[in-house]
Amino acid sequence: MSGAARGAPHPAAGEGGPPLIGITTYQEPARWGAWVREAALLPVPYARSVERAGGVPVLLPPPATLRGLDTLVSRLDGVVLAGGGDLDPELYGAVRHPETGPPQPQRDRFELALARAVVDADLPFLAICRGMQVLNVARGGALVQHLPEAVGHKGHAPEVGLVGSHRVRTSEGSLIGGILGASSDVPTYHHQAVSRLGKGLTAVAWAEDQVVEAVELQGHRFGLAVQWHPEEGDDRRLFEAFVVEAAGR
């Protein structure tokens, strides 16, 4: 992993205290103790990455309704759209590929609405993996449903259940280029990616096979989405830049 900022927690909080960072969650069957029930889940590295950058993580499970969404957004200082399962391809006008995962309508509905509300509020956000795909679809874009078929290799998710690594290059003058430099090795685990970019989104990072690995929302205060999993690495620069911006709200 290239770069600095891998030590003590970053002092991102301003006079008003540390920023509240909402993080979307999975909604999956889970087992604990004697129980097997549907649960709101989030891999711990997301919350730890926010904490280490100086923020306070707040979990955002998919609600039964969208009532109060604007109130929720108004009380947060930033949002992380987390990774997870595949979006329903009907949401971007595509026929389901055999390798596309089962639909999760409640999560899809909430996260698409949340992404639009965050954009409308000019709230800082960091979208990760599925989160980048949610953002793209929310802005009218479309997705590649199964990358191995499109690019001819499995380098973006080399082993089932294990995070891999590959290099990305960034666009000179972009937000992410200013944070990471011209290139960086990143943790990767995904089989889908952006195809048609949504409105206002600009591609700013690419893998060696030209798969889009990051996009930025033009004109937004801090609107960054990455296809990789920065929470799984030891390079904290993306989370630190995001939380610093959220702290200034």
Side-chain angles (χ1 to χ4, degrees), residues 93-169:
V95 176
R96 179 176 297 277
H97 188 282
E99 296 295 330
T100 296
Q104 299 176 304
Q106 190 166 323
R107 187 176 182 191
D108 288 352
R109 181 179 69 248
F110 170 58
E111 292 183 2
L112 287 168
L114 178 63
R116 293 177 181 124
V118 164
V119 169
D120 288 345
D122 200 30
L123 193 70
F125 68 82
L126 176 61
I128 294 172
C129 199
R130 168 191 161 93
M132 174 166 150
Q133 296 160 13
V134 167
L135 173 68
N136 192 55
V137 172
R139 302 293 294 174
L143 306 177
V144 177
Q145 289 192 57
H146 192 55
L147 275 176
E149 182 177 273
V151 299
H153 65 82
K154 296 182 179 180
H156 294 274
E159 296 186 58
V160 175
L162 293 175
V163 176
S165 177
H166 64 63
R167 180 159 286 258
V168 299
R169 61 179 176 84

Side-chain angles (χ1 to χ4, degrees), residues 234-249:
D234 61 359
D235 187 339
R236 300 179 188 171
R237 291 175 293 172
L238 286 181
F239 277 97
E240 288 181 349
F242 163 61
V243 173
V244 164
E245 185 61 39
R249 188 170 190 231

Side-chain angles (χ1 to χ4, degrees), residues 202-246:
T202 300
V204 290
W206 302 263
E208 291 182 356
D209 56 14
Q210 302 307 306
V211 167
V212 175
E213 289 284 333
V215 299
E216 294 174 9
L217 180 59
Q218 298 307 302
H220 198 81
R221 178 179 161 193
F222 188 105
L224 177 59
V226 297
Q227 191 56 70
W228 65 88
H229 283 275
E231 80 284 358
E232 293 291 343
D234 61 359
D235 187 339
R236 300 179 188 171
R237 291 175 293 172
L238 286 181
F239 277 97
E240 288 181 349
F242 163 61
V243 173
V244 164
E245 185 61 39

